[in-house]
Amino acid sequence: MGTPCEGSSLDNHGVFHPCAEEIQKWMQKAFEMAKDALDNSEVPVGCLMVYNNKVLGRGRNEVNETKNATRHAEMVAIDQVLDWCHCNDKDPGDVFERTVLYVTVEPCIMCAGALRLLRIPLVVYGCKNDRFGGCGSVLDIPADNLPQTGAPFKCISGYRAEEAVEMLKMFYKQENPNAPKSKARKKD
């Protein structure tokens, strides 16, 4: 997918730290995934998992489509990275420790917990998730002292946050075809 831009760097642990141009490129693709989710009546969250400047996993919410509450964008992408590791005879632990997640909305508590267990070093996200956010809005999974639960990770937040919020508003204004039908109450 090209070479990293000037200003990108690897730290002492081999973790890639993107420059502004890299963030812009990968977040654009994450927003495309979020738009696809919205077009398919899903909460508009999209993400990419980038390893060595290559997308190994891409995900969008698939909760309504699969009727499985765990099929968040991050979980879909994690599964793809695991498949890539299996097919390419790579150790998933080594790969995840050098993978950056780009996601349009702050990961929820479940996803942040999974990211920590997998030792993802960096998460770049758009808007905060005030109801379920696991990266500081509700809980601070990346930084809290949580023994034996993986490694703390860094977050870069607020990238195109207003755009991410607008996509969420568009979703919640439309009717969810998978929502249960409201039941009329009988008068006594």
Side-chain angles (χ1 to χ4, degrees):
M1 282 266 153
T3 57
C5 60
E6 194 171 318
S8 297
S9 62
L10 288 175
D11 67 14
N12 295 342
H13 304 288
V15 175
F16 179 72
H17 293 276
C19 67
E21 186 179 306
E22 289 291 322
I23 292 172
Q24 181 178 0
K25 175 175 80 171
W26 298 123
M27 286 298 283
Q28 174 58 37
K29 294 182 182 306
F31 272 91
E32 291 168 11
M33 297 296 296
K35 175 76 168 85
D36 185 52
L38 182 63
D39 291 345
N40 285 281
S41 301
E42 295 284 351
V43 176
V45 178
C47 73
L48 298 175
M49 292 194 139
V50 179
Y51 169 77
N52 285 343
N53 211 30
K54 178 181 177 185
V55 176
L56 297 190
R58 64 183 71 235
R60 67 162 176 80
N61 276 6
E62 296 178 357
V63 171
N64 291 332
E65 185 180 323
T66 62
K67 297 187 181 357
N68 179 339
T70 68
R71 299 313 295 158
H72 291 196
E74 298 92 334
M75 296 302 197
V76 172
I78 287 168
D79 285 347
Q80 290 178 7
V81 174
L82 289 169
D83 287 345
W84 182 89
C85 290
H86 178 74
C87 292
N88 291 279
D89 199 29
K90 297 282 187 185
D91 176 21
D94 291 341
V95 170
F96 282 117
E97 286 179 348
R98 291 170 174 77
T99 297
V100 177
L101 171 69
Y102 299 88
V103 61
T104 58
V105 177
E106 174 186 2
C108 71
I109 295 164
M110 172 186 71
C111 292
L115 297 169
R116 183 167 171 138
L117 288 169
L118 292 168
R119 298 182 180 276
I120 295 286
L122 177 64
V123 173
V124 178
Y125 68 86
C127 68
K128 291 186 177 295
N129 181 343
D130 292 330
R131 292 181 66 200
F132 308 109
C135 295
S137 292
V138 177
L139 293 178
D140 196 359
I141 303 291
D144 283 348
N145 181 17
L146 304 168
Q148 300 177 349
T149 59
F153 58 91
K154 294 189 182 343
C155 292
I156 299 173
S157 65
Y159 187 81
R160 292 170 63 176
E162 292 169 9
E163 183 179 351
V165 167
E166 286 305 312
M167 289 180 83
L168 290 167
K169 285 180 181 177
M170 287 172 56
F171 173 79
Y172 287 109
K173 283 180 186 172
Q174 67 189 15
E175 188 172 323
N176 182 350
N178 294 308
K181 302 291 182 223
S182 61
K183 297 177 182 170
R185 294 181 184 225
K186 295 181 183 178
K187 292 184 179 180
D188 291 330

